[in-house]
Amino acid sequence: MTRTAWTLAALADAAVSGVRPTRVEELVDHVGERFRVGFVEDSDGRRWVVRVPVDAVAAAQLEESGALTELLAGHVPFAVPRPAGAAALRDGRRAVVTPLIPGRCIDFSALLPGPGLTAHVARAIAAIHNVDRRLFEEAGEGVYRVVTRRGLAVFGSFKNQKKPLTPEEAAELHEKKVVAEIGRASCRE
């Protein structure tokens, strides 16, 4: 077991009363990741997720997402990772511990039209879409109108281009970037 894995187990123990780690699994770091993440199993067989922000920006994101998930929990028909506790780090950041929500990664490219998993995913997306935007405002999240958000996404797709693009090239590039972002968000392996 690595030193970091021991640290994650200790943070879970400090953050949540009654958690006595018996097993810990550290996720492999990828360059550019904003959090060190590990899974801890306690003496009662419960599984926990420990997230440690790697810098101040990640720490702020973790705090904001905690506020949002608390508010979302009562407005969507699925489980959200609600913080069970936090442990302070020496530099002022906080490690956050949440219960592990059972499930598996979804390969969106393998979803087939019709009932089953695709319909469940569609209902989950619809539930998020139907959440009152005031809830996001209350959590301190940025709220954009569709036209503004689309404009920001398009700008982000093209800001590093070295040559002008035709409308067809621009649409294709934007679509590729959106698909790539959805794939990254769906499953971090």
Side-chain angles (χ1 to χ4, degrees), residues 26-77:
E26 179 185 5
L27 289 184
V28 176
D29 273 347
H30 297 284
V31 174
E33 290 291 328
R34 305 304 304 255
F35 304 95
R36 297 204 65 113
V37 179
F39 300 105
V40 172
E41 187 171 320
D42 69 14
S43 56
D44 294 331
R46 297 175 298 181
R47 293 193 40 116
W48 304 89
V49 180
V50 182
R51 286 184 180 82
V52 180
V54 298
D55 57 31
V57 173
Q61 289 174 332
L62 192 58
E63 294 295 325
E64 285 179 12
S65 68
L68 180 60
T69 56
E70 283 297 322
L71 291 170
L72 274 177
H75 293 85
V76 293

CSV table of all heavy atoms in Angstrom, one decimal, residues 26-77:
chain,number,residue,atom,x,y,z
A,26,GLU,N,-6.5,3.2,-4.0
A,26,GLU,CA,-6.2,4.6,-4.6
A,26,GLU,C,-6.3,4.5,-6.1
A,26,GLU,O,-5.8,3.6,-6.7
A,26,GLU,CB,-4.8,5.0,-4.2
A,26,GLU,CG,-4.3,6.3,-4.8
A,26,GLU,CD,-2.9,6.6,-4.5
A,26,GLU,OE1,-2.2,5.7,-3.9
A,26,GLU,OE2,-2.4,7.7,-4.8
A,27,LEU,N,-7.0,5.5,-6.7
A,27,LEU,CA,-7.1,5.6,-8.1
A,27,LEU,C,-5.8,6.1,-8.7
A,27,LEU,O,-5.2,6.9,-8.1
A,27,LEU,CB,-8.3,6.5,-8.6
A,27,LEU,CG,-9.7,6.0,-8.3
A,27,LEU,CD1,-10.7,7.0,-8.9
A,27,LEU,CD2,-9.9,4.6,-9.0
A,28,VAL,N,-5.5,5.6,-9.8
A,28,VAL,CA,-4.2,6.0,-10.5
A,28,VAL,C,-4.4,7.5,-10.9
A,28,VAL,O,-5.4,7.8,-11.5
A,28,VAL,CB,-3.9,5.1,-11.7
A,28,VAL,CG1,-2.7,5.6,-12.4
A,28,VAL,CG2,-3.7,3.7,-11.2
A,29,ASP,N,-3.4,8.3,-10.6
A,29,ASP,CA,-3.4,9.7,-11.1
A,29,ASP,C,-3.2,9.8,-12.6
A,29,ASP,O,-2.4,9.0,-13.1
A,29,ASP,CB,-2.3,10.5,-10.4
A,29,ASP,CG,-2.7,11.0,-9.0
A,29,ASP,OD1,-3.9,11.0,-8.8
A,29,ASP,OD2,-1.8,11.4,-8.3
A,30,HIS,N,-3.9,10.7,-13.2
A,30,HIS,CA,-3.6,11.1,-14.6
A,30,HIS,C,-3.1,12.5,-14.6
A,30,HIS,O,-3.6,13.3,-13.8
A,30,HIS,CB,-4.9,11.0,-15.4
A,30,HIS,CG,-5.5,9.6,-15.5
A,30,HIS,ND1,-4.9,8.6,-16.3
A,30,HIS,CD2,-6.5,9.0,-14.8
A,30,HIS,CE1,-5.6,7.5,-16.1
A,30,HIS,NE2,-6.6,7.7,-15.2
A,31,VAL,N,-2.2,12.8,-15.4
A,31,VAL,CA,-1.7,14.2,-15.5
A,31,VAL,C,-2.8,15.1,-15.7
A,31,VAL,O,-3.7,14.9,-16.5
A,31,VAL,CB,-0.7,14.3,-16.7
A,31,VAL,CG1,-0.2,15.7,-16.8
A,31,VAL,CG2,0.5,13.4,-16.4
A,32,GLY,N,-2.8,16.2,-14.9
A,32,GLY,CA,-3.9,17.2,-15.0
A,32,GLY,C,-5.1,17.0,-14.2
A,32,GLY,O,-6.0,17.8,-14.1
A,33,GLU,N,-5.2,15.8,-13.5
A,33,GLU,CA,-6.3,15.6,-12.6
A,33,GLU,C,-6.3,16.6,-11.5
A,33,GLU,O,-5.3,17.0,-10.9
A,33,GLU,CB,-6.3,14.1,-12.0
A,33,GLU,CG,-6.5,13.1,-13.1
A,33,GLU,CD,-8.0,13.1,-13.6
A,33,GLU,OE1,-8.9,13.4,-12.9
A,33,GLU,OE2,-8.1,12.7,-14.8
A,34,ARG,N,-7.5,17.0,-11.1
A,34,ARG,CA,-7.7,18.0,-10.0
A,34,ARG,C,-7.8,17.4,-8.6
A,34,ARG,O,-7.7,18.2,-7.7
A,34,ARG,CB,-8.9,18.9,-10.3
A,34,ARG,CG,-9.0,19.5,-11.7
A,34,ARG,CD,-7.8,20.4,-12.0
A,34,ARG,NE,-7.5,21.4,-11.1
A,34,ARG,CZ,-7.7,22.7,-11.2
A,34,ARG,NH1,-8.3,23.1,-12.3
A,34,ARG,NH2,-7.4,23.6,-10.3
A,35,PHE,N,-8.0,16.1,-8.5
A,35,PHE,CA,-8.2,15.5,-7.2
A,35,PHE,C,-7.5,14.2,-7.1
A,35,PHE,O,-7.3,13.5,-8.1
A,35,PHE,CB,-9.7,15.2,-7.0
A,35,PHE,CG,-10.6,16.4,-7.2
A,35,PHE,CD1,-11.2,16.7,-8.4
A,35,PHE,CD2,-10.8,17.2,-6.1
A,35,PHE,CE1,-12.0,17.8,-8.5
A,35,PHE,CE2,-11.5,18.4,-6.2
A,35,PHE,CZ,-12.1,18.7,-7.4
A,36,ARG,N,-7.0,13.9,-5.9
A,36,ARG,CA,-6.5,12.5,-5.6
A,36,ARG,C,-7.8,11.8,-5.1
A,36,ARG,O,-8.5,12.3,-4.2
A,36,ARG,CB,-5.4,12.5,-4.6
A,36,ARG,CG,-4.2,13.3,-5.1
A,36,ARG,CD,-3.0,12.8,-4.4
A,36,ARG,NE,-2.7,11.4,-4.7
A,36,ARG,CZ,-1.7,11.0,-5.4
A,36,ARG,NH1,-0.8,11.8,-5.9
A,36,ARG,NH2,-1.4,9.7,-5.5
A,37,VAL,N,-8.1,10.6,-5.6
A,37,VAL,CA,-9.3,9.9,-5.2
A,37,VAL,C,-9.0,8.5,-4.8
A,37,VAL,O,-8.1,7.9,-5.4
A,37,VAL,CB,-10.3,9.9,-6.4
A,37,VAL,CG1,-11.5,9.2,-6.1
A,37,VAL,CG2,-10.6,11.3,-6.9
A,38,GLY,N,-9.7,8.1,-3.8
A,38,GLY,CA,-9.5,6.7,-3.3
A,38,GLY,C,-10.9,6.2,-2.8
A,38,GLY,O,-11.8,6.9,-2.5
A,39,PHE,N,-10.9,4.8,-2.8
A,39,PHE,CA,-12.1,4.2,-2.2
A,39,PHE,C,-11.7,3.5,-0.9
A,39,PHE,O,-10.7,2.8,-0.9
A,39,PHE,CB,-12.6,3.1,-3.2
A,39,PHE,CG,-13.1,3.7,-4.5
A,39,PHE,CD1,-12.3,3.6,-5.6
A,39,PHE,CD2,-14.2,4.5,-4.6
A,39,PHE,CE1,-12.7,4.1,-6.8
A,39,PHE,CE2,-14.6,5.1,-5.8
A,39,PHE,CZ,-13.8,4.9,-6.9
A,40,VAL,N,-12.5,3.7,0.1
A,40,VAL,CA,-12.2,3.1,1.4
A,40,VAL,C,-13.3,2.2,1.8
A,40,VAL,O,-14.5,2.6,1.7
A,40,VAL,CB,-12.0,4.2,2.5
A,40,VAL,CG1,-11.8,3.6,3.9
A,40,VAL,CG2,-10.8,5.1,2.1
A,41,GLU,N,-13.0,1.0,2.3
A,41,GLU,CA,-14.0,0.2,2.9
A,41,GLU,C,-13.8,0.2,4.4
A,41,GLU,O,-12.7,0.0,4.9
A,41,GLU,CB,-13.9,-1.2,2.3
A,41,GLU,CG,-15.1,-2.1,2.8
A,41,GLU,CD,-15.1,-3.5,2.0
A,41,GLU,OE1,-14.8,-3.5,0.8
A,41,GLU,OE2,-15.4,-4.5,2.7
A,42,ASP,N,-14.9,0.3,5.2
A,42,ASP,CA,-14.8,0.3,6.6
A,42,ASP,C,-15.1,-1.0,7.3
A,42,ASP,O,-15.5,-2.0,6.6
A,42,ASP,CB,-15.5,1.5,7.2
A,42,ASP,CG,-17.0,1.3,7.2
A,42,ASP,OD1,-17.5,0.2,6.9
A,42,ASP,OD2,-17.7,2.3,7.4
A,43,SER,N,-15.0,-1.1,8.6
A,43,SER,CA,-15.2,-2.3,9.3
A,43,SER,C,-16.6,-2.8,9.2
A,43,SER,O,-16.9,-4.0,9.5
A,43,SER,CB,-14.7,-2.2,10.8
A,43,SER,OG,-15.4,-1.1,11.4
A,44,ASP,N,-17.6,-2.0,8.9
A,44,ASP,CA,-18.9,-2.4,8.7
A,44,ASP,C,-19.3,-2.8,7.3
A,44,ASP,O,-20.4,-3.0,6.9
A,44,ASP,CB,-19.9,-1.3,9.2
A,44,ASP,CG,-19.8,-1.0,10.6
A,44,ASP,OD1,-19.5,-1.9,11.4
A,44,ASP,OD2,-20.0,0.2,11.0
A,45,GLY,N,-18.3,-2.8,6.4
A,45,GLY,CA,-18.5,-3.1,5.0
A,45,GLY,C,-19.0,-2.0,4.1
A,45,GLY,O,-19.3,-2.2,2.9
A,46,ARG,N,-19.1,-0.8,4.7
A,46,ARG,CA,-19.5,0.4,3.9
A,46,ARG,C,-18.4,0.8,3.1
A,46,ARG,O,-17.2,0.8,3.5
A,46,ARG,CB,-20.0,1.5,4.8
A,46,ARG,CG,-21.3,1.1,5.6
A,46,ARG,CD,-21.6,2.2,6.6
A,46,ARG,NE,-20.5,2.4,7.5
A,46,ARG,CZ,-20.5,3.3,8.5
A,46,ARG,NH1,-21.5,4.1,8.7
A,46,ARG,NH2,-19.5,3.4,9.3
A,47,ARG,N,-18.7,1.4,1.9
A,47,ARG,CA,-17.6,1.9,1.0
A,47,ARG,C,-17.8,3.4,0.9
A,47,ARG,O,-18.9,3.9,0.8
A,47,ARG,CB,-17.7,1.2,-0.4
A,47,ARG,CG,-17.3,-0.3,-0.2
A,47,ARG,CD,-17.1,-0.9,-1.5
A,47,ARG,NE,-16.3,-0.1,-2.5
A,47,ARG,CZ,-15.1,-0.4,-3.0
A,47,ARG,NH1,-14.5,-1.5,-2.5
A,47,ARG,NH2,-14.5,0.4,-3.8
A,48,TRP,N,-16.6,4.1,0.8
A,48,TRP,CA,-16.6,5.5,0.8
A,48,TRP,C,-15.7,6.0,-0.3
A,48,TRP,O,-14.7,5.3,-0.6
A,48,TRP,CB,-16.1,6.0,2.2
A,48,TRP,CG,-16.9,5.5,3.3
A,48,TRP,CD1,-16.7,4.4,4.1
A,48,TRP,CD2,-18.0,6.2,3.9
A,48,TRP,NE1,-17.6,4.3,5.0
A,48,TRP,CE2,-18.4,5.4,5.0
A,48,TRP,CE3,-18.7,7.4,3.7
A,48,TRP,CZ2,-19.5,5.7,5.8
A,48,TRP,CZ3,-19.8,7.7,4.5
A,48,TRP,CH2,-20.2,6.8,5.5
A,49,VAL,N,-15.9,7.2,-0.8
A,49,VAL,CA,-15.0,7.9,-1.7
A,49,VAL,C,-14.4,9.0,-1.0
A,49,VAL,O,-15.1,9.9,-0.4
A,49,VAL,CB,-15.8,8.4,-2.9
A,49,VAL,CG1,-14.9,9.1,-3.9
A,49,VAL,CG2,-16.6,7.3,-3.6
A,50,VAL,N,-13.1,9.1,-1.1
A,50,VAL,CA,-12.3,10.2,-0.5
A,50,VAL,C,-11.7,11.0,-1.7
A,50,VAL,O,-11.1,10.5,-2.6
A,50,VAL,CB,-11.1,9.7,0.3
A,50,VAL,CG1,-10.4,10.8,1.0
A,50,VAL,CG2,-11.6,8.7,1.4
A,51,ARG,N,-12.0,12.3,-1.7
A,51,ARG,CA,-11.5,13.2,-2.7
A,51,ARG,C,-10.6,14.3,-2.0
A,51,ARG,O,-11.1,15.0,-1.1
A,51,ARG,CB,-12.6,13.9,-3.4
A,51,ARG,CG,-13.3,13.0,-4.4
A,51,ARG,CD,-14.4,13.8,-5.2
A,51,ARG,NE,-15.1,12.9,-6.1
A,51,ARG,CZ,-16.1,12.1,-5.8
A,51,ARG,NH1,-16.5,12.0,-4.6
A,51,ARG,NH2,-16.6,11.3,-6.7
A,52,VAL,N,-9.4,14.4,-2.5
A,52,VAL,CA,-8.5,15.4,-2.0
A,52,VAL,C,-8.1,16.4,-3.1
A,52,VAL,O,-7.5,15.9,-4.1
A,52,VAL,CB,-7.2,14.8,-1.4
A,52,VAL,CG1,-6.3,15.8,-0.8
A,52,VAL,CG2,-7.6,13.7,-0.3
A,53,PRO,N,-8.5,17.6,-3.0
A,53,PRO,CA,-8.1,18.6,-4.1
A,53,PRO,C,-6.6,18.8,-4.1
A,53,PRO,O,-6.0,18.9,-3.1
A,53,PRO,CB,-8.8,19.9,-3.7
A,53,PRO,CG,-9.1,19.7,-2.2
A,53,PRO,CD,-9.2,18.3,-1.9
A,54,VAL,N,-6.1,18.9,-5.3
A,54,VAL,CA,-4.6,19.1,-5.4
A,54,VAL,C,-4.1,20.5,-5.4
A,54,VAL,O,-3.0,20.8,-5.2
A,54,VAL,CB,-4.1,18.4,-6.7
A,54,VAL,CG1,-4.3,16.9,-6.8
A,54,VAL,CG2,-4.6,19.1,-8.0
A,55,ASP,N,-5.1,21.5,-5.5
A,55,ASP,CA,-4.7,22.9,-5.4
A,55,ASP,C,-5.9,23.7,-4.9
A,55,ASP,O,-7.0,23.1,-4.7
A,55,ASP,CB,-4.2,23.4,-6.8
A,55,ASP,CG,-5.2,23.2,-7.9
A,55,ASP,OD1,-6.4,23.2,-7.7
A,55,ASP,OD2,-4.7,23.1,-9.0
A,56,ALA,N,-5.7,25.0,-4.8
A,56,ALA,CA,-6.8,25.9,-4.3
A,56,ALA,C,-8.0,25.9,-5.2
A,56,ALA,O,-9.1,26.0,-4.7
A,56,ALA,CB,-6.2,27.3,-4.0
A,57,VAL,N,-7.8,25.9,-6.5
A,57,VAL,CA,-8.9,26.0,-7.5
A,57,VAL,C,-9.7,24.7,-7.3
A,57,VAL,O,-11.0,24.8,-7.3
A,57,VAL,CB,-8.4,26.1,-8.9
A,57,VAL,CG1,-9.5,26.0,-9.9
A,57,VAL,CG2,-7.6,27.5,-9.1
A,58,ALA,N,-9.1,23.6,-7.2
A,58,ALA,CA,-9.8,22.3,-7.1
A,58,ALA,C,-10.6,22.3,-5.7
A,58,ALA,O,-11.7,21.8,-5.7
A,58,ALA,CB,-8.9,21.1,-7.2
A,59,ALA,N,-10.0,22.9,-4.7
A,59,ALA,CA,-10.6,22.9,-3.4
A,59,ALA,C,-11.9,23.8,-3.5
A,59,ALA,O,-12.9,23.4,-2.9
A,59,ALA,CB,-9.7,23.5,-2.4
A,60,ALA,N,-11.8,24.9,-4.2
A,60,ALA,CA,-13.0,25.7,-4.4
A,60,ALA,C,-14.1,25.0,-5.2
A,60,ALA,O,-15.3,25.1,-4.8
A,60,ALA,CB,-12.6,27.0,-5.1
A,61,GLN,N,-13.7,24.2,-6.2
A,61,GLN,CA,-14.6,23.5,-7.0
A,61,GLN,C,-15.3,22.4,-6.1
A,61,GLN,O,-16.5,22.2,-6.3
A,61,GLN,CB,-13.9,22.8,-8.2
A,61,GLN,CG,-13.5,23.7,-9.3
A,61,GLN,CD,-12.7,23.0,-10.4
A,61,GLN,OE1,-12.0,22.0,-10.1
A,61,GLN,NE2,-12.8,23.6,-11.6
A,62,LEU,N,-14.6,21.8,-5.3
A,62,LEU,CA,-15.1,20.7,-4.4
A,62,LEU,C,-16.1,21.3,-3.4
A,62,LEU,O,-17.2,20.7,-3.2
A,62,LEU,CB,-14.0,20.0,-3.7
A,62,LEU,CG,-14.3,18.8,-2.9
A,62,LEU,CD1,-14.9,17.7,-3.9
A,62,LEU,CD2,-13.0,18.2,-2.2
A,63,GLU,N,-15.8,22.5,-2.9
A,63,GLU,CA,-16.7,23.1,-2.0
A,63,GLU,C,-18.0,23.5,-2.7
A,63,GLU,O,-19.1,23.3,-2.2
A,63,GLU,CB,-16.1,24.4,-1.4
A,63,GLU,CG,-14.9,24.1,-0.5
A,63,GLU,CD,-15.3,23.3,0.8
A,63,GLU,OE1,-16.4,23.5,1.3
A,63,GLU,OE2,-14.5,22.5,1.2
A,64,GLU,N,-17.9,24.1,-3.9
A,64,GLU,CA,-19.1,24.5,-4.7
A,64,GLU,C,-19.9,23.3,-5.0
A,64,GLU,O,-21.2,23.3,-4.9
A,64,GLU,CB,-18.7,25.2,-5.9
A,64,GLU,CG,-18.2,26.6,-5.7
A,64,GLU,CD,-17.8,27.3,-7.0
A,64,GLU,OE1,-18.1,26.7,-8.1
A,64,GLU,OE2,-17.2,28.4,-6.9
A,65,SER,N,-19.3,22.2,-5.5
A,65,SER,CA,-20.0,21.0,-5.9
A,65,SER,C,-20.8,20.4,-4.7
A,65,SER,O,-21.9,19.8,-4.8
A,65,SER,CB,-19.2,20.0,-6.6
A,65,SER,OG,-18.2,19.4,-5.7
A,66,GLY,N,-20.2,20.5,-3.5
A,66,GLY,CA,-20.8,19.9,-2.3
A,66,GLY,C,-22.1,20.7,-2.0
A,66,GLY,O,-23.2,20.1,-1.7
A,67,ALA,N,-22.1,22.0,-2.2
A,67,ALA,CA,-23.3,22.8,-1.9
A,67,ALA,C,-24.4,22.4,-3.0
A,67,ALA,O,-25.6,22.3,-2.6
A,67,ALA,CB,-23.0,24.3,-2.0
A,68,LEU,N,-24.0,22.2,-4.2
A,68,LEU,CA,-24.9,21.9,-5.3
A,68,LEU,C,-25.5,20.5,-5.1
A,68,LEU,O,-26.7,20.3,-5.2
A,68,LEU,CB,-24.3,22.0,-6.6
A,68,LEU,CG,-25.2,21.7,-7.8
A,68,LEU,CD1,-26.4,22.6,-7.9
A,68,LEU,CD2,-24.4,21.7,-9.1
A,69,THR,N,-24.7,19.5,-4.7
A,69,THR,CA,-25.3,18.2,-4.6
A,69,THR,C,-26.2,18.1,-3.4
A,69,THR,O,-27.2,17.4,-3.5
A,69,THR,CB,-24.2,17.1,-4.4
A,69,THR,OG1,-23.3,17.5,-3.3
A,69,THR,CG2,-23.3,17.0,-5.7
A,70,GLU,N,-26.0,18.9,-2.4
A,70,GLU,CA,-26.9,18.9,-1.2
A,70,GLU,C,-28.3,19.4,-1.7
A,70,GLU,O,-29.3,18.9,-1.4
A,70,GLU,CB,-26.4,19.8,-0.1
A,70,GLU,CG,-25.4,19.1,0.7
A,70,GLU,CD,-25.9,17.9,1.5
A,70,GLU,OE1,-27.0,17.9,1.9
A,70,GLU,OE2,-25.1,16.9,1.6
A,71,LEU,N,-28.3,20.5,-2.5
A,71,LEU,CA,-29.5,21.0,-3.1
A,71,LEU,C,-30.2,20.1,-4.1
A,71,LEU,O,-31.4,20.0,-4.1
A,71,LEU,CB,-29.3,22.4,-3.7
A,71,LEU,CG,-28.9,23.5,-2.6
A,71,LEU,CD1,-28.4,24.7,-3.4
A,71,LEU,CD2,-30.1,23.8,-1.7
A,72,LEU,N,-29.4,19.5,-4.9
A,72,LEU,CA,-29.9,18.6,-6.0
A,72,LEU,C,-30.6,17.3,-5.4
A,72,LEU,O,-31.5,16.8,-6.1
A,72,LEU,CB,-28.8,18.2,-7.0
A,72,LEU,CG,-28.5,19.1,-8.1
A,72,LEU,CD1,-27.3,18.5,-8.9
A,72,LEU,CD2,-29.7,19.3,-9.0
A,73,ALA,N,-30.1,16.9,-4.3
A,73,ALA,CA,-30.5,15.6,-3.8
A,73,ALA,C,-32.0,15.4,-3.8
A,73,ALA,O,-32.6,14.3,-4.1
A,73,ALA,CB,-29.9,15.3,-2.4
A,74,GLY,N,-32.7,16.4,-3.4
A,74,GLY,CA,-34.2,16.3,-3.3
A,74,GLY,C,-34.9,16.6,-4.6
A,74,GLY,O,-36.2,16.6,-4.6
A,75,HIS,N,-34.2,16.9,-5.7
A,75,HIS,CA,-34.8,17.3,-6.9
A,75,HIS,C,-34.6,16.4,-8.1
A,75,HIS,O,-35.1,16.7,-9.2
A,75,HIS,CB,-34.4,18.7,-7.3
A,75,HIS,CG,-34.8,19.8,-6.3
A,75,HIS,ND1,-34.2,20.1,-5.2
A,75,HIS,CD2,-35.9,20.6,-6.4
A,75,HIS,CE1,-34.8,21.0,-4.5
A,75,HIS,NE2,-35.9,21.3,-5.2
A,76,VAL,N,-33.8,15.3,-7.9
A,76,VAL,CA,-33.6,14.4,-9.0
A,76,VAL,C,-33.9,13.0,-8.5
A,76,VAL,O,-33.7,12.7,-7.3
A,76,VAL,CB,-32.1,14.5,-9.5
A,76,VAL,CG1,-31.9,15.8,-10.2
A,76,VAL,CG2,-31.1,14.3,-8.4
A,77,PRO,N,-34.3,12.1,-9.4
A,77,PRO,CA,-34.8,10.8,-9.0
A,77,PRO,C,-33.6,9.7,-9.0
A,77,PRO,O,-33.8,8.5,-9.3
A,77,PRO,CB,-35.8,10.4,-10.1
A,77,PRO,CG,-35.2,11.1,-11.3
A,77,PRO,CD,-34.7,12.4,-10.8
